[in-house]
Amino acid sequence: MSTESMPTRVIWWGVGVAIGGALLIVAAPAALNAWWAPNTQEWQSAMLVFDIVMQIARILFAPLGAALIAAGLVMRYVDRRLRGEHIADRPRRWRWPDEANDGA
């Protein structure tokens, strides 16, 4: 993976994780009810495992997807700022201060 394609891949991974998590949260209850008949012992066991998986999905996937999207956007922004052709295009706040102008 090159540094030019890394922000794009991170953004797409974030979109995929967020959409996959949303689909899991939306579609999984209907799928579980279609596979097992409610009010049976097997259904209660599956519902226990399913509830744990859904709690993890609700806590993990949406924030992880959003964080990956944000990280990709930040990487893209920093790459554009550091790629400036002239020294004036580069961000001044990221340079070390001169020792002669430190006031000591």
Side-chain angles (χ1 to χ4, degrees), residues 42-66:
E42 293 85 12
W43 187 79
Q44 295 297 326
S45 301
M47 198 62 190
L48 177 66
V49 172
F50 174 72
D51 189 41
I52 294 170
V53 170
M54 291 303 293
Q55 290 297 326
I56 291 171
R58 285 188 185 112
I59 292 170
L60 184 68
F61 288 137
L64 179 61

Side-chain angles (χ1 to χ4, degrees), residues 28 56 78 84 86 92:
I56 291 171
V78 169
H86 303 290
R92 293 184 186 149

Side-chain angles (χ1 to χ4, degrees), residues 15-76:
V15 169
V17 166
I19 290 174
L23 288 175
L24 176 68
I25 291 170
V26 170
L32 187 68
N33 284 333
W35 286 329
W36 280 291
N39 302 327
T40 62
Q41 185 62 31
E42 293 85 12
W43 187 79
Q44 295 297 326
S45 301
M47 198 62 190
L48 177 66
V49 172
F50 174 72
D51 189 41
I52 294 170
V53 170
M54 291 303 293
Q55 290 297 326
I56 291 171
R58 285 188 185 112
I59 292 170
L60 184 68
F61 288 137
L64 179 61
L68 287 172
I69 293 168
L73 293 175
V74 168
M75 285 190 289
R76 187 172 285 181

Side-chain angles (χ1 to χ4, degrees), residues 77-90:
Y77 173 76
V78 169
D79 281 347
R80 286 183 184 168
R81 290 289 300 247
L82 294 178
R83 245 187 256 158
E85 293 180 13
H86 303 290
I87 193 72
D89 294 339
R90 295 183 185 151

